Amino acid sequence: MPMPRRKRCACGAKIEDHEAECETCQVLICLCGRKYPRRKGPGRQPSRCPKCESLRPDLRICGCGVLLKSSQRKTCSPDCRRIWRRIRRGATPPDGWHTQIVTALELDSKHRKVARYVAGWLQRRGRKKVGVIDTAVVYLNEKLRFECRHSPLSFRTAKDLPPWVYMDDRTRLTSLQGLAPPATGWLAGYIVSSDDYCTVAATSADFGDVAQWKSRAAWIPRRADIGEEMYCKRDRFQVDSLLEATTSA
Protein backbone atom coordinates (compact mmCIF):
# COMPACT_ATOMS: atom_id res chain seq x y z
CA MET A 1 0.00 0.00 0.00
CA PRO A 2 1.52 3.37 -0.99
CA MET A 3 2.30 5.79 1.82
CA PRO A 4 0.02 8.87 2.03
CA ARG A 5 1.59 12.02 0.67
CA ARG A 6 2.74 14.65 3.11
CA LYS A 7 1.03 18.02 3.05
CA ARG A 8 3.16 20.74 1.49
CA CYS A 9 3.51 24.47 2.07
CA ALA A 10 3.04 26.93 -0.80
CA CYS A 11 6.83 27.02 -1.19
CA GLY A 12 6.95 23.23 -1.62
CA ALA A 13 8.32 22.24 1.79
CA LYS A 14 6.76 19.28 3.60
CA ILE A 15 4.63 20.18 6.62
CA GLU A 16 2.38 18.41 9.12
CA ASP A 17 -1.37 18.10 8.49
CA HIS A 18 -2.26 20.65 11.21
CA GLU A 19 0.16 23.27 9.84
CA ALA A 20 -0.71 25.93 7.30
CA GLU A 21 2.85 27.01 6.41
CA CYS A 22 6.41 25.87 6.96
CA GLU A 23 8.54 27.66 9.53
CA THR A 24 10.35 29.61 6.83
CA CYS A 25 7.12 31.05 5.41
CA GLN A 26 5.45 31.84 8.72
CA VAL A 27 4.68 35.46 9.43
CA LEU A 28 6.18 37.53 12.23
CA ILE A 29 4.55 40.06 14.57
CA CYS A 30 5.95 43.59 14.65
CA LEU A 31 5.97 45.64 17.86
CA CYS A 32 3.16 47.74 16.36
CA GLY A 33 0.95 44.62 16.24
CA ARG A 34 0.93 44.06 12.47
CA LYS A 35 1.94 40.85 10.73
CA TYR A 36 4.77 40.82 8.20
CA PRO A 37 6.34 37.92 6.24
CA ARG A 38 9.72 36.37 6.89
CA ARG A 39 12.42 37.30 4.42
CA LYS A 40 13.32 34.47 2.05
CA GLY A 41 16.89 33.26 1.91
CA PRO A 42 19.78 33.45 4.38
CA GLY A 43 20.58 36.41 6.58
CA ARG A 44 19.09 38.13 9.58
CA GLN A 45 15.33 38.43 9.66
CA PRO A 46 13.90 41.97 9.90
CA SER A 47 12.74 42.79 13.41
CA ARG A 48 10.06 45.26 12.28
CA CYS A 49 7.44 45.53 9.57
CA PRO A 50 8.09 47.80 6.56
CA LYS A 51 5.86 50.55 8.01
CA CYS A 52 8.01 50.74 11.16
CA GLU A 53 11.45 50.50 9.56
CA SER A 54 11.99 54.27 9.57
CA LEU A 55 10.60 54.78 13.10
CA ARG A 56 12.28 54.59 16.48
CA PRO A 57 12.71 50.99 17.71
CA ASP A 58 10.66 51.75 20.85
CA LEU A 59 7.84 53.40 18.84
CA ARG A 60 8.04 56.53 20.98
CA ILE A 61 5.57 59.25 20.01
CA CYS A 62 5.79 63.01 20.04
CA GLY A 63 3.43 64.89 22.36
CA CYS A 64 1.34 65.85 19.33
CA GLY A 65 0.67 62.14 18.67
CA VAL A 66 3.06 61.50 15.77
CA LEU A 67 5.37 58.47 15.79
CA LEU A 68 8.98 59.65 15.92
CA LYS A 69 11.50 58.70 13.26
CA SER A 70 14.81 57.03 14.15
CA SER A 71 16.65 60.37 13.96
CA GLN A 72 14.24 62.15 16.34
CA ARG A 73 14.56 62.04 20.13
CA LYS A 74 11.52 63.62 21.79
CA THR A 75 9.68 65.80 19.26
CA CYS A 76 8.83 65.61 15.58
CA SER A 77 9.24 69.28 14.60
CA PRO A 78 10.69 72.59 15.82
CA ASP A 79 7.18 73.75 16.79
CA CYS A 80 6.65 70.70 19.00
CA ARG A 81 10.10 71.17 20.52
CA ARG A 82 9.20 74.71 21.58
CA ILE A 83 5.96 73.43 23.14
CA TRP A 84 7.85 70.64 24.92
CA ARG A 85 10.34 73.16 26.34
CA ARG A 86 7.53 75.40 27.63
CA ILE A 87 5.84 72.41 29.30
CA ARG A 88 9.14 71.41 30.90
CA ARG A 89 9.37 74.90 32.43
CA GLY A 90 5.88 74.52 33.94
CA ALA A 91 3.47 75.68 31.22
CA THR A 92 0.10 73.96 30.79
CA PRO A 93 0.10 71.44 27.90
CA PRO A 94 -2.15 72.47 24.98
CA ASP A 95 -5.33 70.54 24.24
CA GLY A 96 -4.59 67.17 22.66
CA TRP A 97 -1.00 67.06 23.86
CA HIS A 98 0.00 63.60 25.12
CA THR A 99 2.05 63.38 28.31
CA GLN A 100 3.40 60.47 30.37
CA ILE A 101 2.94 57.87 27.62
CA VAL A 102 4.75 54.56 28.10
CA THR A 103 6.53 53.44 24.94
CA ALA A 104 5.55 50.19 23.23
CA LEU A 105 8.98 48.74 24.06
CA GLU A 106 8.62 49.53 27.77
CA LEU A 107 5.10 48.10 27.86
CA ASP A 108 6.14 44.87 26.09
CA SER A 109 8.96 44.51 28.61
CA LYS A 110 6.33 44.37 31.37
CA HIS A 111 4.33 41.81 29.37
CA ARG A 112 7.44 39.60 29.04
CA LYS A 113 7.99 39.86 32.80
CA VAL A 114 4.45 38.55 33.40
CA ALA A 115 5.10 35.66 30.98
CA ARG A 116 8.28 34.67 32.85
CA TYR A 117 6.51 34.77 36.23
CA VAL A 118 3.55 32.71 35.00
CA ALA A 119 5.78 30.14 33.29
CA GLY A 120 7.89 29.74 36.41
CA TRP A 121 4.76 29.34 38.53
CA LEU A 122 3.38 26.64 36.23
CA GLN A 123 6.71 24.80 36.06
CA ARG A 124 7.44 24.77 39.79
CA ARG A 125 3.98 24.34 41.28
CA GLY A 126 1.81 23.08 38.45
CA ARG A 127 4.52 20.81 36.96
CA LYS A 128 3.60 21.94 33.47
CA LYS A 129 5.92 21.67 30.49
CA VAL A 130 5.80 25.27 29.34
CA GLY A 131 8.12 27.79 27.75
CA VAL A 132 8.21 31.54 27.09
CA ILE A 133 8.16 32.98 23.57
CA ASP A 134 8.23 36.76 23.57
CA THR A 135 5.14 37.87 25.57
CA ALA A 136 3.48 34.44 25.63
CA VAL A 137 3.48 31.30 27.75
CA VAL A 138 3.47 28.27 25.45
CA TYR A 139 2.29 24.80 26.48
CA LEU A 140 4.87 22.72 24.61
CA ASN A 141 2.96 19.42 24.53
CA GLU A 142 -0.41 20.87 23.56
CA LYS A 143 1.00 23.56 21.21
CA LEU A 144 -1.14 26.21 22.88
CA ARG A 145 -0.16 29.81 23.57
CA PHE A 146 -1.44 32.20 26.25
CA GLU A 147 -0.56 35.84 25.63
CA CYS A 148 0.42 37.65 28.84
CA ARG A 149 -0.44 41.26 29.56
CA HIS A 150 0.52 43.51 32.46
CA SER A 151 -2.27 45.82 33.64
CA PRO A 152 -2.54 48.75 36.05
CA LEU A 153 -5.37 46.94 37.87
CA SER A 154 -5.18 45.94 41.52
CA PHE A 155 -7.18 42.76 42.19
CA ARG A 156 -7.13 39.61 44.28
CA THR A 157 -10.41 37.99 43.20
CA ALA A 158 -12.65 38.13 40.15
CA LYS A 159 -14.97 40.51 41.99
CA ASP A 160 -12.17 43.08 42.17
CA LEU A 161 -11.99 43.29 38.36
CA PRO A 162 -13.91 46.00 36.47
CA PRO A 163 -17.03 44.82 34.58
CA TRP A 164 -15.04 44.84 31.32
CA VAL A 165 -11.29 44.17 31.24
CA TYR A 166 -9.06 45.52 28.47
CA MET A 167 -7.31 42.71 26.55
CA ASP A 168 -5.69 43.97 23.34
CA ASP A 169 -6.25 46.07 20.26
CA ARG A 170 -8.02 44.54 17.26
CA THR A 171 -5.01 44.66 14.93
CA ARG A 172 -2.66 42.76 17.22
CA LEU A 173 -5.36 40.28 18.26
CA THR A 174 -6.06 39.45 14.62
CA SER A 175 -2.33 39.06 13.95
CA LEU A 176 -1.88 36.71 16.91
CA GLN A 177 -4.84 34.59 15.84
CA GLY A 178 -3.16 34.16 12.46
CA LEU A 179 -0.02 32.57 13.91
CA ALA A 180 0.18 28.78 13.73
CA PRO A 181 2.30 25.95 15.23
CA PRO A 182 4.94 24.70 15.51
CA ALA A 183 6.80 27.92 16.29
CA THR A 184 4.35 29.56 18.70
CA GLY A 185 1.26 27.42 19.19
CA TRP A 186 -2.37 28.32 18.64
CA LEU A 187 -3.70 31.32 20.57
CA ALA A 188 -5.69 29.76 23.40
CA GLY A 189 -6.22 32.74 25.67
CA TYR A 190 -4.94 35.78 27.53
CA ILE A 191 -3.44 36.10 31.00
CA VAL A 192 -3.74 39.54 32.62
CA SER A 193 -1.67 40.32 35.70
CA SER A 194 -2.27 42.79 38.48
CA ASP A 195 -0.06 45.85 38.81
CA ASP A 196 2.16 44.12 41.43
CA TYR A 197 2.50 40.89 39.37
CA CYS A 198 1.09 38.82 42.25
CA THR A 199 -2.32 37.90 40.80
CA VAL A 200 -3.31 36.80 37.31
CA ALA A 201 -6.65 36.44 35.53
CA ALA A 202 -6.90 34.02 32.59
CA THR A 203 -9.57 33.79 29.91
CA SER A 204 -10.10 31.88 26.68
CA ALA A 205 -9.56 33.63 23.35
CA ASP A 206 -10.91 31.23 20.76
CA PHE A 207 -13.04 32.72 18.00
CA GLY A 208 -16.32 31.94 19.79
CA ASP A 209 -15.23 33.73 22.95
CA VAL A 210 -13.74 36.71 21.15
CA ALA A 211 -17.03 37.19 19.30
CA GLN A 212 -18.61 38.02 22.69
CA TRP A 213 -15.99 40.61 23.62
CA LYS A 214 -16.81 44.30 23.51
CA SER A 215 -14.91 46.76 21.35
CA ARG A 216 -14.65 50.54 21.33
CA ALA A 217 -12.79 53.07 19.22
CA ALA A 218 -9.71 54.44 20.96
CA TRP A 219 -6.33 55.98 20.30
CA ILE A 220 -3.66 53.23 20.13
CA PRO A 221 -0.28 54.67 21.23
CA ARG A 222 1.85 51.97 19.57
CA ARG A 223 0.46 52.97 16.18
CA ALA A 224 -0.37 56.62 16.98
CA ASP A 225 -3.73 56.13 15.33
CA ILE A 226 -7.36 55.42 16.11
CA GLY A 227 -8.13 51.72 16.43
CA GLU A 228 -10.35 49.26 18.28
CA GLU A 229 -9.75 48.22 21.87
CA MET A 230 -11.08 44.78 22.87
CA TYR A 231 -12.62 44.13 26.28
CA CYS A 232 -13.62 40.83 27.92
CA LYS A 233 -16.39 40.50 30.50
CA ARG A 234 -15.35 39.99 34.12
CA ASP A 235 -17.22 36.70 34.68
CA ARG A 236 -15.19 34.95 31.96
CA PHE A 237 -11.93 35.10 33.96
CA GLN A 238 -10.32 32.58 36.26
CA VAL A 239 -8.23 34.36 38.89
CA ASP A 240 -5.18 32.77 40.56
CA SER A 241 -2.49 34.01 42.90
CA LEU A 242 1.11 33.44 41.84
CA LEU A 243 1.97 33.23 45.54
CA GLU A 244 -0.07 30.01 45.95
CA ALA A 245 0.33 26.54 44.44
CA THR A 246 -1.85 25.82 41.43
CA THR A 247 -4.43 23.07 41.67
CA SER A 248 -6.00 23.17 38.20
CA ALA A 249 -4.65 21.93 34.86
Side-chain angles (χ1 to χ4, degrees):
M1 179 180 295
M3 294 293 292
R5 290 189 175 184
R6 289 279 297 278
K7 185 179 176 182
R8 289 183 179 271
C9 176
C11 69
K14 294 181 179 180
I15 57 177
E16 300 296 335
D17 290 338
H18 65 274
E19 297 173 2
E21 297 174 307
C22 66
E23 188 172 354
T24 304
C25 293
Q26 285 178 357
V27 297
L28 302 173
I29 302 292
C30 179
L31 189 62
C32 69
R34 302 184 183 96
K35 291 192 296 184
Y36 65 101
R38 289 178 179 267
R39 187 178 61 200
K40 302 296 190 273
R44 186 176 181 180
Q45 293 293 335
S47 59
R48 294 186 286 173
C49 70
K51 291 187 177 181
C52 293
E53 280 297 326
S54 63
L55 303 177
R56 287 176 56 105
D58 58 0
L59 297 186
R60 184 183 294 275
I61 68 168
C62 176
C64 67
V66 174
L67 285 165
L68 296 178
K69 295 182 179 180
S70 299
S71 59
Q72 298 169 333
R73 294 188 59 191
K74 292 183 179 296
T75 55
C76 66
S77 66
D79 289 339
C80 288
R81 184 167 183 81
R82 284 192 288 269
I83 294 174
W84 176 75
R85 284 176 173 173
R86 288 199 295 268
I87 294 173
R88 191 175 58 176
R89 297 189 188 105
T92 302
D95 293 339
W97 188 267
H98 301 282
T99 59
Q100 302 295 329
I101 294 179
V102 180
T103 66
L105 198 62
E106 293 169 341
L107 193 57
D108 272 25
S109 176
K110 294 183 178 181
H111 299 336
R112 293 188 186 96
K113 188 175 180 180
V114 176
R116 293 196 301 269
Y117 285 173
V118 172
W121 176 66
L122 291 171
Q123 289 170 348
R124 292 193 303 270
R125 302 184 178 184
R127 297 181 181 180
K128 300 295 181 181
K129 191 175 182 181
V130 298
V132 176
I133 298 179
D134 198 26
T135 59
V137 172
V138 179
Y139 282 73
L140 302 178
N141 292 335
E142 295 88 348
K143 293 183 179 178
L144 298 176
R145 182 179 78 255
F146 283 84
E147 284 291 328
C148 296
R149 298 290 180 262
H150 179 261
S151 76
L153 302 175
S154 177
F155 61 92
R156 290 293 177 267
T157 65
K159 294 181 180 179
D160 298 331
L161 293 170
W164 291 91
V165 181
Y166 171 71
M167 306 303 299
D168 217 334
D169 63 86
R170 172 80 70 177
T171 299
R172 186 161 60 167
L173 172 63
T174 304
S175 298
L176 292 170
Q177 288 176 326
L179 294 181
T184 58
W186 299 107
L187 179 62
Y190 277 83
I191 297 175
V192 179
S193 86
S194 59
D195 184 50
D196 58 5
Y197 300 95
C198 292
T199 313
V200 292
T203 187
S204 173
D206 60 33
F207 289 95
D209 288 309
V210 172
Q212 301 180 49
W213 291 6
K214 182 175 73 170
S215 65
R216 73 179 182 92
W219 190 74
I220 309 299
R222 68 175 61 240
R223 293 200 307 278
D225 196 5
I226 298 296
E228 277 189 277
E229 289 183 339
M230 307 297 297
Y231 291 81
C232 180
K233 203 169 184 178
R234 173 173 55 194
D235 58 10
R236 293 187 174 274
F237 284 92
Q238 175 183 326
V239 177
D240 292 288
S241 172
L242 297 183
L243 303 180
E244 300 175 358
T246 181
T247 57
S248 58

